Amino acid sequence: MTQETLVTTRMRVEGMDCASCAIKIENALKRVAGVTEVNVSASRGTVIVKHDLPDTETLRVRIVALGYKVIGTEHVFAKVDPTVGQSTDVHQDGHSHDHGPIDGSWWRTSKGLLTIASGSALAAAFLLGKAFPATERWAFLIAMLVGLIPIGRRAISAAFTGTPFSIEMLMTIAAIGAVFIGATEEAAAVVFLFLIGELLEGVAASRARASIQNLTELIPKTARLEENGQVREVQADTLTVGAMIQVRPGDRIPADGIIVSGESSIDEAPVSGESMPIRKGPQQSLFAGTINGDGLLSVRVTAAAADNTIARVVRLVEEAQESKAPTERFIDRFSRYYTPGVVVVATLIATVPPLLMGGLWNEWIYKGLAILLIGCPCALVISTPAAIAASLSAGARRGLLLKGGAVLEQIGKITMACFDKTGTLTAGKPQVTDIVSFGTTEADVLRVAAALESGSSHPLATAILAKASEQKLSLPPASDSQAIGGKGVRATVDGKQIFLGSPQAADDITALSDEQNSRIVALNDEGKTVSVVLIDKMPAGAIAMRDEPRPDAARGLKLLADIGIRTLMLTGDNRRTAAAIGKQLGIEVQAELLPQDKQRIVGELQKEGFSVAKVGDGINDAPALAAADVGIAMGGGTDVALETADAAVLHGRVADVAAMVDLSKRTMLNIKQNITVALGLKAVFLVTTVVGVTGLWPAILADTGATVVVTLNALRLLKPPAI
């Protein structure tokens, strides 16, 4: 292998459950000659290394020496371009050893087995000591060593690879020191309690990790492929874009797709949290993992397994967990100085009173060892990433994608939300709002108009056909159809000449009365597009259409107003239509804006002191999305939307913007609670230890207890937002 070729190795690691674990592994691997870059993710349980080593055994040995288990590896070769100094992936060699999931039953993990062995040895020592008192000290010493030897190995390995002040080192010093001052029974118990704490931390981390990975289990393993007139069962992950699949009533949908034929109620609750099934028919899109209700569907696949909605959600959340929030970065920096500081304080407490104040050495060494245990930084270090990981996972399960902790923290600070109109506050497609009769029944006006538009894919035609379908009208055939450029369309229906077009074009054919024109003007003033129907050149009626607000738009804006966030519509649409929608929703409007105008307005609002969120479709709003403090893409999870913005509302609910703000505020409150618990318990036990009220047992319980409480508190965020 030449120096110009790098390998990116991705390893799955068991037992890596917190930020301090990740730091130890990162420090160790960075010291390996030939390694150029290391990225460690405790939340995903993965280690990604760029290197030019001939094999990965050195990397594996370093990780195993720290007490973790490598259970899977895969390699991607990358060719370095000397002109830019960057690497480009050129080949994945398919070399993978994966021995099952990272997180199995706790008693089968290495942490579980070690904890059971230590607990059994402690119980045996207690019974042996009671039966044969002379052996008690040696029995507890052996019981202690059962747990301490693996901990000590990890401590020494971490010290030699760049992490001298690890939790394992503090634990090892405290346990050995306790033996030397005759507290062997306490030393054995403390080691066992430490292992229980580590095990509980691992179980909690596994639960947080599984909360997002469980989404992948929503997708069925098999699919019914339609091919050459036959239907056969295939593996769902083999489906390709463009393949036709059949989905039976009651089946989970195996891939993202578009309905080609059939109509059914779709239960999207497993993916979006939507409580009511949604009726869908031809040309409407489906998400993998949702449930087909009562109809047989023929579906064209639009995304391969690796790129379907759920896979993208999982990937984006995992990547987001690597982006640290400002609070998390502060805690990381603080902990670098905090742990050495604890060692210094413990040393001073153990030595100063005996040397300068005549204190008893055993008493003050004992207190110093207790301070070491109290000072373990686990609870503090995990307080922020645990909460952020849980929040990102909970949000993703509802379709709220936030690209990292920094975004999650910032979105709770917004004071102004600027919305695009089309496709954001509105559904993005016209709907029939009014059918006006000029002497013919409304049903007949709609029936002949729909017959005229049969087969057309124009948005206005689609709206008319959808309304006719909703009213279950039987459409007569149309013949001699002819489009009249810029004016409308004509055809023969039931032996009569039918024209459907603009009011001006209709007035050119036959004069409309003042009353009819008045009705049309009133509809136009409401921001609606009006088409007039003529039957044998006589006015029969009019059909008004408008891109209507999303069903939850008014509620979503009210939720934001209720928490003190101002809202503003920024749209390129005409003022009349925008004003009508704005009045209906109760939102301030600025209309007929170019993309650069939206960007300028966002900047002006920021200068006025607002923290601005821009909500749009991620395409024509791109400049404003980038300029805003937080850019939020609205709608179906397109690549453009997901890549442009800081966050995405995957399922297009306006109320989900308020849900994001709520999630952010609950997360920051949770983090503050965690930090208070972590530091508060340590402060209390620091004082009680120095004055002689508590000792080693309570000290390790304080550390273990704080870690468990902090983790469990963070896991409360896995409950989806209530909004």
Side-chain angles (χ1 to χ4, degrees), residues 672-689:
K672 289 174 184 175
Q673 292 168 346
N674 286 349
I675 293 172
T676 301
V677 168
L679 293 179
L681 272 177
K682 292 180 186 303
V684 168
F685 279 89
L686 176 66
V687 173
T688 57
T689 299

Side-chain angles (χ1 to χ4, degrees), residues 99-110:
H99 306 292
I102 286 182
D103 304 306
S105 303
W106 67 266
W107 58 85
R108 295 178 181 172
T109 64
S110 55

Side-chain angles (χ1 to χ4, degrees), residues 22 25-31 35-40 47-50 59:
I25 292 175
E26 184 176 340
N27 288 342
L29 296 183
K30 279 182 175 177
R31 293 185 169 218
V35 170
T36 60
E37 185 179 332
V38 180
N39 289 298
V40 185
V47 177
I48 300 173
V49 186
K50 284 188 177 180
L59 304 177

Side-chain angles (χ1 to χ4, degrees), residues 320-402:
Q321 288 172 348
E322 309 316 309
S323 174
K324 291 186 177 181
T327 302
E328 187 175 357
R329 289 196 293 269
F330 169 76
I331 293 295
D332 283 350
R333 290 195 300 271
F334 178 75
S335 64
R336 288 195 196 112
Y337 300 101
Y338 168 83
T339 308
V342 166
V343 174
V344 171
V345 170
T347 303
L348 292 175
I349 286 174
T351 58
V352 170
L355 288 173
L356 302 182
M357 299 176 343
L360 298 175
W361 279 100
N362 270 18
E363 177 188 344
W364 287 99
I365 288 174
Y366 182 88
K367 290 179 179 180
L369 296 174
I371 296 300
L372 277 183
L373 297 179
I374 291 168
C376 291
C378 283
L380 181 64
V381 171
I382 203 173
S383 60
T384 302
I388 288 174
S391 290
L392 293 174
S393 298
R397 292 183 71 86
R398 186 175 165 171
L400 312 179
L401 301 186
L402 299 106

Side-chain angles (χ1 to χ4, degrees), residues 285-300:
S285 52
L286 300 173
F287 295 123
T290 55
I291 302 169
N292 182 22
D294 52 17
L296 181 67
L297 300 177
S298 184
V299 178
R300 184 175 69 253

Side-chain angles (χ1 to χ4, degrees), residues 606-641:
Q606 289 171 323
K607 288 178 183 177
E608 291 176 23
F610 289 101
S611 178
V612 182
K614 177 66 178 74
V615 189
D617 62 12
I619 302 172
N620 60 357
D621 286 299
L625 285 168
D629 295 286
V630 179
I632 303 173
M634 173 72 75
T638 62
D639 290 337
V640 172

